[in-house]
Structure formats: structure tokens, C-alpha cells
Amino acid sequence: GINAEYGGSSITIVTLIYTLTVISFHIVVPHKDMILDTAVASEFGLRSMGEAGKIILSVGVVLSTLGHVQCTFLTGSRMIHAGAAENLLPSCLALVSKRFKTPIVSIIYITVAVFVFIMIGNIGMLINSFSFVMYPFFVACSIGVIIMRVTHPDIPRPYRVPLIFPVLFALFSLFVFVLPFLGDQWLLSVIWVMVALTGVPVYYLLSRNVCGCKLLTRCNEKVTAVLGKYLNCE
């Protein structure tokens, strides 16, 4: 339909812009300088358009970063909310503000988690670790697209892509995930994998309650009730 057509066009345009931007950076900024410089966009603006270009691109990067953070909060909080609504996470994370109709508890949870990780490390470590941990889930999603295409070929698909794209994306994501284990920072990679795996016992203890512990169930219900009352959620 129309949405699929516009969606495909917008994805193509954004991908093309990003690709041309990266190519431009590599043409203007030498590789040795790009490795040493943490602000490649600013250096590109300075070399191509002078001080004015450096300021313009620096402001553009800041605005782009703020937009990405906003989108992450919007999508990430709703993913957590959906997981809790499907009993995959503690029920308190499914609470929605009665006034704003937003998953306020999930948003607070993400905010607190980010704050804690920044306090025990730094923003650079948080960005790298978050990206690293996300890649196995990208692989799983790509494989899911392939499986659904084979097992359910006739279901409606508002947006359809050739199978080569999820295959390539799965291989690329797997490569990016495995590569850090082969470097000097392999121990940090192992630690973040262990952090991600802590979600497994949380799921089985709080959502599935495999041990049959009524205390965990009562605590979950109590926390949900308290947050619902004081945050005006339902």
C-alpha cells in the first residue's frame, strides 16, 4: 500500500545519505587522522568548508544525537512495555500513565539503568557495550524474517524485502558481535554478555515463576500496585 511505498522510499533515501556521508568522510579526512580524531564530522567540516563548516556539522551531529536518544526512549520503553504486557517481564513495567498514555514506568526504568551504567563507567563504554549487546538480537530478528518467509509465505506483509538483505545483515551483525572477542578487550565483551544473560533468571523467576515462590509473585504485585497508585498508572 501507500505506507509500504513511502516506507521503502524513506529507508532507501536515508541509507543512500548515510552511505554518501561515510564516503565523503573517507575522501576528505585521511585514514590516519580519522583514527586519532574522535570528532570526524567536525574535522570534515573544517577541511571542506572552514570554521563555519565545522560549527554547522558539529551542531548537526548534536541535533542528530538528540533525535536518536529521543527515538531510543520512545521505541525502547515501548518494547519493554510490550514485553511486560506479554508476561515476559515484571508486570510493573507494563503500567501506562492515565494522563499521558505513555509507558512511564518503562521510561523511568531506562533512565535509571542508563544513569547507573554511566556512574560505574563512562558514556563511551555505555555506547559501545549497548551496541555490542544488541547485535545478537539483530541476528535473531534477521533469522526470524527468513524463517517467517519460508514457513508463512502467504501472510500479509506491508513491507517486503528480498531475502538477501536479512541474510547479509545477519552475517554482518554476527561478525560485529564475534569480532570483539578476538581483540584485547575480550574480557569486557564477556562481562557484557554475562550482564545480558542476567535477564534469563529474571524472566524465569518473575515472569514464569518456575520455582513456585509466592513471595516473588506477591512482591511483583505489590510493586505494581504501589507504582500504579503513586504514578497514576493503570
Side-chain angles (χ1 to χ4, degrees):
I2 295 178
N3 291 335
E5 179 181 349
Y6 286 139
S9 300
S10 61
I11 292 175
T12 302
I13 293 172
V14 170
T15 302
L16 181 62
I17 291 175
Y18 267 89
T19 302
L20 292 177
T21 300
V22 173
I23 293 174
S24 301
F25 286 171
H26 282 278
I27 292 176
V28 175
V29 182
H31 181 67
K32 58 182 180 63
D33 295 338
M34 188 176 294
I35 295 176
L36 299 175
D37 197 343
T38 57
V40 178
S42 299
E43 184 65 23
F44 171 80
L46 178 64
R47 290 172 181 257
S48 59
M49 295 175 285
E51 287 293 336
K54 179 180 180 180
I55 295 174
I56 292 173
L57 287 184
S58 298
V59 172
V61 170
V62 171
L63 295 176
S64 177
T65 303
L66 290 175
H68 175 72
V69 171
Q70 181 186 29
C71 290
T72 301
F73 267 85
L74 287 174
T75 58
S77 61
R78 282 151 180 79
M79 289 168 62
I80 294 175
H81 164 76
E86 295 289 336
N87 295 322
L88 302 176
L89 294 170
S91 59
C92 60
L93 296 174
L95 291 173
V96 176
S97 171
K98 295 180 180 179
R99 179 182 178 185
F100 300 106
K101 305 301 180 183
T102 55
I104 185 171
V105 178
S106 298
I107 294 174
I108 294 174
Y109 169 75
I110 291 178
T111 303
V112 172
V114 171
F115 177 77
V116 170
F117 281 123
I118 290 178
M119 290 298 295
I120 64 177
N122 55 67
I123 188 65
M125 183 193 72
L126 178 63
I127 294 173
N128 293 333
S129 302
F130 173 78
S131 302
F132 164 74
V133 173
M134 284 298 294
Y135 276 105
F137 297 98
F138 291 159
V139 174
C141 289
S142 301
I143 295 175
V145 172
I146 299 171
I147 293 175
M148 289 295 293
R149 184 70 62 83
V150 175
T151 57
H152 299 80
D154 299 325
I155 62 175
R157 289 178 171 83
Y159 182 70
R160 188 183 183 96
V161 297
L163 276 181
I164 185 63
F165 289 111
V167 171
L168 291 176
F169 187 66
L171 294 175
F172 170 78
S173 300
L174 184 63
F175 170 77
V176 174
F177 176 72
V178 173
L179 188 62
F181 291 98
L182 306 178
D184 297 333
Q185 301 294 324
W186 64 270
L187 182 58
L188 181 62
S189 302
V190 172
I191 292 174
W192 279 107
V193 169
M194 298 301 295
V195 171
L197 290 177
T198 57
V200 176
V202 170
Y203 166 70
Y204 280 103
L205 289 175
L206 296 182
S207 298
R208 298 291 295 274
N209 195 14
V210 292
C211 62
C213 181
K214 295 183 178 180
L215 178 62
L216 292 175
T217 302
R218 287 198 296 268
C219 289
N220 187 28
E221 293 174 351
K222 183 64 175 179
V223 171
T224 302
V226 171
L227 289 176
K229 177 181 178 181
Y230 288 101
L231 295 178
N232 193 26
C233 299
E234 58 183 1

